[in-house]
Amino acid sequence: MAGPLGQGWGLGIALRSRAALRPLGLLAPPCRGATAPQCRRVTGSGEEVLEENPFYGKYRHKIQELRRSSPDVFESRMEKRNEVKKQPVGYSKQSEFVRRMEEKAEGLSTRTSKEGFTRDKTLDSILNVEMVKEKSAEEIKQIWNQYFSAKDTVYAVIPAEKFDLIWKRAQKCPSFLYALPRKEGYEFFVGQWSGTELHFTSLINIQTQGEAAPSQLVLYHYPELQEEKGIVLMTAEMDSKFLVVHEAQCLANQVQLFYATDCSETYELVETFNHRSSEFKYMSVIAKLEHSGLGKALRPNQVSDKS
């Protein structure tokens, strides 16, 4: 079962349960005139403001735990969050935001095992690389797809030239803001490259936990067969408490949308986020997502007003 843009890659999802997931809404953001994903002015305590975020409930336990265990750290992070409340994502503080993401990337290898993700997940741990080298690219693709078809995950076989484009761009622009359609509007995730791994963390997690924010989705890319077979294999691990497979697939498809695009205007959003932060507008990400149709699978069934 392939995603809307994943068909060219062989990007698919695998579910042990074939029961259909309840569709999720793709609605306009609560504050269209705002310049940041969370756009209400700060008038109360840090947690009171966070409670107005429609996704606060999902992270309530960790936020309250931080507030109890380290109240000074909690208040400090709320103060920093409030300072940039009126600015676009990253505006004058984008360099600080990127710095924190870089610090997070440096610590990823030491924290992934604690977060439930596989540390140093190699291709050899999944299949016998030497053995598959005797097979054609198409045969390897079939083996890869068959292996993951019985697992709750996202996976892909990416053409070498397409991954080469993604990889070159990831070196220049290692992070980006992604939008995941929800009933309440959109939940924003930051994707940060660490080697050939792409780690996703929700924006609210970063705002409350800084560089300690745990990964919620990791895409593992394996270029070992890129030169000889012309393919790069990809699979993923996710925190099922925060994401289901269809949502992870939507984020994975957006990597192709923004990093593998032939449209200079689309990739320019990635460049702007990394290098011209004062010009970045998160609404442009939502517009591209809607135009691509990637969010359609997460939309609720719309009932026509016509009788």
Side-chain angles (χ1 to χ4, degrees):
M1 186 186 303
L5 288 183
Q7 293 174 357
W9 283 6
L11 178 63
I13 60 176
L15 299 172
R16 291 193 184 96
S17 172
R18 297 299 173 181
L21 292 174
R22 183 180 180 183
L24 296 173
L26 182 61
L27 306 176
C31 307
R32 282 194 174 276
T35 54
Q38 290 80 31
C39 46
R40 181 179 176 86
R41 291 178 182 272
V42 179
T43 56
S45 70
E47 192 166 356
E48 287 175 351
V49 175
L50 283 175
E51 287 176 357
E52 296 170 2
N53 187 302
F55 309 110
Y56 171 79
K58 189 193 302 185
Y59 304 95
R60 180 186 291 109
H61 176 70
K62 289 188 176 181
I63 293 173
Q64 292 178 342
E65 182 180 350
L66 175 65
R67 188 177 188 180
R68 287 193 301 268
S69 61
S70 305
D72 293 340
V73 175
F74 176 85
E75 291 303 327
S76 174
R77 288 174 180 170
M78 290 303 98
E79 288 175 5
K80 289 181 180 179
R81 180 178 183 273
N82 296 342
E83 288 175 5
V84 297
K85 197 67 172 178
K86 301 175 185 178
Q87 305 291 358
V89 173
Y91 188 58
S92 61
K93 298 290 186 178
Q94 181 70 4
S95 59
E96 171 67 14
F97 176 80
V98 172
R99 182 189 66 79
R100 281 195 283 168
M101 288 306 299
E102 290 174 347
E103 290 177 355
K104 171 179 168 58
E106 291 175 1
L108 285 174
S109 61
T110 60
R111 289 201 304 271
T112 50
S113 59
K114 295 181 181 179
E115 295 164 6
F117 295 99
T118 304
R119 182 177 179 179
D120 300 327
K121 188 180 179 71
T122 64
L123 183 58
D124 279 317
S125 68
I126 302 174
L127 55 79
N128 189 320
V129 177
E130 291 303 318
M131 183 177 295
V132 299
K133 284 183 178 180
E134 301 175 359
K135 300 184 179 298
S136 67
E138 184 60 32
E139 288 174 324
I140 296 173
K141 178 180 178 180
Q142 292 177 0
I143 293 171
W144 192 255
N145 291 343
Q146 182 177 358
Y147 176 78
F148 285 104
S149 64
K151 300 181 181 295
D152 296 338
T153 191
V154 176
Y155 56 95
V157 178
I158 307 172
E161 64 277 7
K162 189 65 69 175
F163 181 77
D164 188 53
L165 176 62
I166 293 173
W167 182 242
K168 288 179 180 178
R169 288 174 169 177
Q171 304 310 296
K172 299 177 182 177
C173 303
S175 60
F176 189 60
L177 187 74
Y178 301 84
L180 188 63
R182 301 290 198 187
K183 288 181 180 179
E184 301 86 353
Y186 298 86
E187 184 173 10
F188 290 87
F189 285 77
V190 174
Q192 172 72 39
W193 287 87
S194 176
T196 55
E197 297 178 4
L198 179 53
H199 292 246
F200 290 86
T201 307
S202 67
L203 183 59
I204 189 175
N205 246 0
I206 294 175
Q207 289 173 326
T208 56
Q209 301 186 54
E211 63 272 14
S215 300
Q216 293 163 310
L217 170 68
V218 182
L219 303 183
Y220 300 95
H221 301 84
Y222 301 107
E224 286 90 332
L225 302 173
Q226 183 173 4
E227 292 187 9
E228 185 175 345
K229 302 297 181 180
I231 57 175
V232 173
L233 304 176
M234 186 273 281
T235 187
E237 290 184 346
M238 73 197 76
D239 187 337
S240 59
K241 296 190 298 293
F242 299 98
L243 291 169
V244 296
V245 179
H246 281 72
E247 295 164 351
Q249 183 193 24
C250 183
L251 292 172
N253 278 338
Q254 288 183 60
V255 179
Q256 181 180 1
L257 173 64
F258 291 105
Y259 278 86
T261 180
D262 294 325
C263 176
S264 58
E265 180 183 352
T266 300
Y267 177 61
E268 188 176 2
L269 291 176
V270 181
E271 293 182 307
T272 301
F273 182 80
N274 284 269
H275 304 297
R276 301 186 303 278
S277 57
S278 63
E279 303 172 19
F280 182 76
K281 295 179 175 62
Y282 80 99
M283 280 299 297
S284 298
V285 175
I286 294 174
K288 289 295 181 183
L289 179 62
E290 290 184 335
H291 181 71
S292 71
L294 286 180
K296 286 184 178 180
L298 304 182
R299 289 178 186 266
N301 294 326
Q302 298 181 354
V303 180
S304 174
D305 294 333
K306 297 180 181 180
S307 56

